[in-house]
Amino acid sequence: MSQAVRARALLIHAVVAGAALLAGPARATDFRAFEFGTPCDRIVALEAARGSKTFDGELPSGYQFAFLTRELDREALVVYACDGGKLFRAGYIFEARDEADAAALYASLKKRVSRERGSPSYDFASPTHRKKMTDAGATLSHHDTLVAFWDGDSSEAHASVAEPTKGRGWRVSLSYTANTHLRE
């Protein structure tokens, strides 16, 4: 075997090994290409490989990493939270032009997650929740009902709309939290 062929074989082996190390276990992933519990020191390299840009602004509350990316043909912030150096929560945060845009994006996310996980385990738009809130004397706006949760084998998914606050516009988020970190 020639020196060039041997060098090429070693390079291919190194690339494959590096990709396997970056991707983690070969089973289905929890979020993008990570399993919950994956060491967080892999996040920066993964997002760089995906073409994401490091977010230099103020990090959303509870997250240690944020990157600018595209998801659903939109600009999005992809965020990660770690506990003890291991991933336990990740998600997307989207800016919306107005309430109608936020509601349409939420509907797209809800369809997507429902295709993946089935019907929401808790849906604020459901007649049951609206009756419960009305019976308690609450008045719900349309965006108050744009919240849903889905159970999963290893994580819970949560989608919601947030109205403008603190100089920010409408936001839509989709996050996944490892079942090990859910509070009862």
Side-chain angles (χ1 to χ4, degrees), residues 124-138 140:
F124 282 40
S126 71
T128 303
H129 177 73
R130 288 196 317 269
K131 181 176 179 350
K132 178 180 171 183
M133 297 307 289
T134 303
D135 289 351
L140 298 175

Side-chain angles (χ1 to χ4, degrees), residues 49-156:
R50 289 176 158 257
S52 302
K53 306 286 184 239
T54 301
F55 177 69
D56 293 324
E58 183 179 337
L59 291 173
S61 180
Y63 292 100
Q64 290 85 30
F65 298 93
F67 304 87
L68 298 170
T69 193
R70 288 200 59 83
E71 186 69 24
L72 297 174
D73 293 323
R74 290 176 169 254
E75 294 295 317
L77 198 59
V78 61
V79 292
Y80 296 93
C82 303
D83 181 17
K86 304 221 185 251
L87 179 67
F88 79 92
R89 179 178 295 131
Y92 297 105
I93 301 171
F94 301 88
E95 297 289 332
R97 292 181 302 278
D98 53 29
E99 185 175 4
D101 184 43
L105 177 56
Y106 171 82
S108 294
L109 289 171
K110 188 174 179 183
K111 279 184 187 176
R112 175 177 149 176
V113 178
S114 292
R115 276 193 309 270
E116 295 168 1
R117 292 181 174 233
S119 297
S121 53
Y122 195 79
D123 189 347
F124 282 40
S126 71
T128 303
H129 177 73
R130 288 196 317 269
K131 181 176 179 350
K132 178 180 171 183
M133 297 307 289
T134 303
D135 289 351
T139 303
L140 298 175
S141 68
H142 175 66
H143 72 269
D144 288 335
T145 64
L146 303 178
V147 177
F149 293 86
W150 293 262
D151 293 332
D153 292 340
S154 62
S155 65
E156 174 185 81

Side-chain angles (χ1 to χ4, degrees), residues 5-17:
V5 171
R6 191 172 295 132
R8 201 173 336 195
L10 284 172
L11 178 61
I12 290 169
H13 177 73
V15 168
V16 170

